[in-house]
Amino acid sequence: VLNDVCFSLEKGKTLALVGPSGGGKTSICHLIPRFYFLDENGGEILIDDKDISRYTLDSLRRHVGIVQQDVFLFGGTIKENILYGKPDATEEELKEAALKANILDYINTLPDGWDTQIGERGARLSGGQKQRISIARIFLKNPEFLILDEATSALDNATEYLIQDALNELAKGRTCIIVAHRLSTIKNADIIAVVENGKIVEMGTHEQL
């Protein structure tokens, strides 16, 4: 799928991946937490100069947070779904994560509040509400490395605006890879890579490209 893809990203910087659908952007993202494994002699991915295959999966994934277009929520309550990011979190940490994700006010309007059942895969929630719960989960997890894979592309403009604020807050101080089509989402990235047919065909800042 990917051929001769090479880049480096400094700690705390943001890389945006852009390009046509099917070009390999999500595949790059999925290699980092080892959802896919590299072929033998298929290159290497290093974090802190150490090949990721030498980290345990638990150790690696504990430091990576992912927000995707298709959010996976579990049947259960809002509280249970957010706590998935950090099962031993305090009530205060839970509320702070929900506040940062712009979902706390909504939770407070519900008759059952935090104990509201969301249905299988969040069937009782809108797309924007599901996204904000997944963002709250990542705030609670507090990972050093963040992957945003088309996190707002399925939302209407008004909802995207709200969620983009939460994502901008989430990205502060973290090393980020963002996959997006909208210019507003990627123009502030430190570096932008154009991915086509499994290759990086161009790389630079927004102004350079």
Side-chain angles (χ1 to χ4, degrees):
V1 174
L2 300 171
N3 183 27
D4 198 25
V5 169
C6 184
F7 62 87
S8 61
L9 183 60
E10 290 178 31
K11 183 181 174 76
K13 300 291 187 181
T14 296
L15 167 72
L17 300 175
V18 302
S21 296
K25 303 184 296 297
T26 295
S27 296
I28 291 171
C29 293
H30 284 183
L31 284 168
I32 292 163
R34 288 171 65 195
F35 292 163
Y36 305 142
F37 295 91
L38 291 170
D39 291 338
E40 196 175 336
N41 303 319
E44 58 185 5
I45 299 170
L46 307 177
I47 296 179
D48 292 340
D49 295 324
K50 184 175 175 180
D51 194 299
I52 60 169
S53 64
R54 293 173 58 200
Y55 293 103
T56 65
L57 279 180
D58 178 59
S59 170
L60 178 66
R61 291 176 182 174
R62 202 181 312 130
H63 294 280
V64 178
I66 301 178
V67 182
Q68 294 176 292
Q69 178 180 340
D70 185 21
V71 176
F72 192 92
L73 299 179
F74 300 94
T77 66
I78 288 175
K79 183 177 183 178
E80 287 167 341
N81 270 278
I82 296 177
L83 274 176
Y84 189 70
K86 185 184 177 186
D88 60 349
T90 64
E91 291 286 326
E92 206 54 48
E93 288 174 324
L94 200 59
K95 286 179 181 175
E96 187 180 349
L99 178 67
K100 286 179 176 176
N102 283 325
I103 192 73
L104 183 60
D105 287 347
Y106 169 70
I107 294 169
N108 289 336
T109 66
L110 298 168
D112 293 327
W114 290 93
D115 297 320
T116 300
Q117 293 285 334
I118 65 169
E120 195 62 37
R121 296 208 65 174
R124 296 178 186 169
L125 301 173
S126 71
Q129 289 158 354
K130 287 194 278 191
Q131 280 290 29
R132 282 182 278 176
I133 285 175
S134 78
I135 293 167
R137 189 190 276 172
I138 302 296
F139 269 119
L140 200 59
K141 183 178 182 179
N142 195 24
E144 295 168 67
F145 200 102
L146 184 63
I147 296 171
L148 304 176
D149 188 0
E150 298 280 16
T152 62
S153 64
L155 307 173
D156 62 76
N157 286 340
T159 308
E160 184 201 6
Y161 184 76
L162 276 175
I163 287 175
Q164 196 58 56
D165 274 354
L167 291 175
N168 290 342
E169 181 67 24
L170 184 58
K172 283 180 183 173
R174 302 180 207 274
T175 308
C176 298
I177 292 184
I178 299 172
V179 177
H181 286 109
R182 293 178 185 172
L183 191 59
S184 57
T185 311
I186 57 144
K187 66 181 181 183
N188 294 324
D190 296 292
I191 191 158
I192 299 168
V194 183
V195 183
E196 287 182 13
N197 299 319
K199 295 177 180 286
I200 292 179
V201 295
E202 267 189 299
M203 209 161 185
T205 63
H206 172 61
E207 288 76 17
Q208 288 168 339
L209 297 179

